[in-house]
Amino acid sequence: MSWEIILKELACPRATQDLKLNTKNRDAAIKAEHIRYGPLNLSDESYWEDAAKHWKTSPEVAKKSKCSNCIAFDISPRMQKCMPLESDKELGYCWMHDFKCHKDRTCFTWAKGGPITDDKTSKQNQMKRG
């Protein structure tokens, strides 16, 4: 692979720079029954009850499974440079669903092991997207 292609692939993900694409991807994640990104209102208890049923746990445990600790949530220094300045570390990039997500939300595809905090892991995730 040429260096030009590698550098292009390691630029900010399109959805971090294109509001229309980000909104499209986020809205698709909200509507998809297998993803259900949310809750849109952080105090929506019914969302957490649904998530708890999906994960076969309690709402209290479900509330601890947020984007901020998901393995797909990228808050590496390089990704923070891709985020809007006003995000104030509230946003990260979701490699699973290709949109900027809020640290206090989640989705039914949440997976433990995150967040991504180093540039090396961030770049590895981006290179896998090929």
Side-chain angles (χ1 to χ4, degrees), residues 4-5 7 14 24-25 34 39 44 60-62 88 91 98-99 104 106 112-113 116 123-125 130:
E4 291 144 349
I5 293 171
L7 289 175
R14 273 190 53 220
K24 176 184 169 239
N25 293 350
H34 70 287
D44 180 358
E60 293 74 28
V61 171
D88 192 31
L91 298 178
D98 298 315
F99 67 94
D104 292 331
T106 193
K112 71 177 182 173
I116 298 163
K123 290 174 186 176
Q124 288 171 340
N125 272 292

Side-chain angles (χ1 to χ4, degrees), residues 67-69 73-93 100-105 115-119:
C67 293
S68 63
N69 58 15
F73 189 68
D74 190 337
I75 56 170
S76 63
R78 77 183 205 95
M79 199 55 60
Q80 286 301 310
K81 291 178 184 173
C82 296
M83 295 293 156
L85 293 175
E86 67 274 6
S87 74
D88 192 31
K89 308 255 187 229
E90 297 289 310
L91 298 178
Y93 187 73
K100 296 177 285 190
C101 55
H102 190 279
K103 67 180 183 71
D104 292 331
R105 291 188 172 86
I116 298 163
T117 58
D118 63 281
D119 288 344

Side-chain angles (χ1 to χ4, degrees), residues 9-20:
E9 288 181 0
L10 292 178
C12 290
R14 273 190 53 220
T16 64
Q17 307 301 300
D18 182 337
L19 182 59
K20 187 175 181 179

Side-chain angles (χ1 to χ4, degrees), residues 25-130:
N25 293 350
R26 186 206 58 217
D27 289 352
I30 291 168
K31 293 175 186 170
E33 282 299 313
H34 70 287
I35 302 172
R36 300 231 8 233
Y37 175 67
L40 298 182
N41 176 346
L42 293 175
S43 63
D44 180 358
E45 291 299 320
S46 67
Y47 178 90
W48 296 110
E49 290 167 10
D50 289 347
K53 286 179 194 169
H54 175 77
W55 292 325
K56 298 176 179 63
T57 190
S58 68
E60 293 74 28
V61 171
K63 288 178 183 180
K64 294 177 183 175
S65 302
K66 296 182 178 183
C67 293
S68 63
N69 58 15
C70 177
I71 197 164
F73 189 68
D74 190 337
I75 56 170
S76 63
R78 77 183 205 95
M79 199 55 60
Q80 286 301 310
K81 291 178 184 173
C82 296
M83 295 293 156
L85 293 175
E86 67 274 6
S87 74
D88 192 31
K89 308 255 187 229
E90 297 289 310
L91 298 178
Y93 187 73
C94 176
W95 285 110
M96 236 186 273
H97 304 300
D98 298 315
F99 67 94
K100 296 177 285 190
C101 55
H102 190 279
K103 67 180 183 71
D104 292 331
R105 291 188 172 86
T106 193
C107 67
F108 283 14
T109 55
W110 176 90
K112 71 177 182 173
I116 298 163
T117 58
D118 63 281
D119 288 344
K120 180 181 178 187
T121 305
S122 176
K123 290 174 186 176
Q124 288 171 340
N125 272 292
Q126 193 162 2
M127 292 303 290
K128 289 179 193 175
R129 307 251 350 141

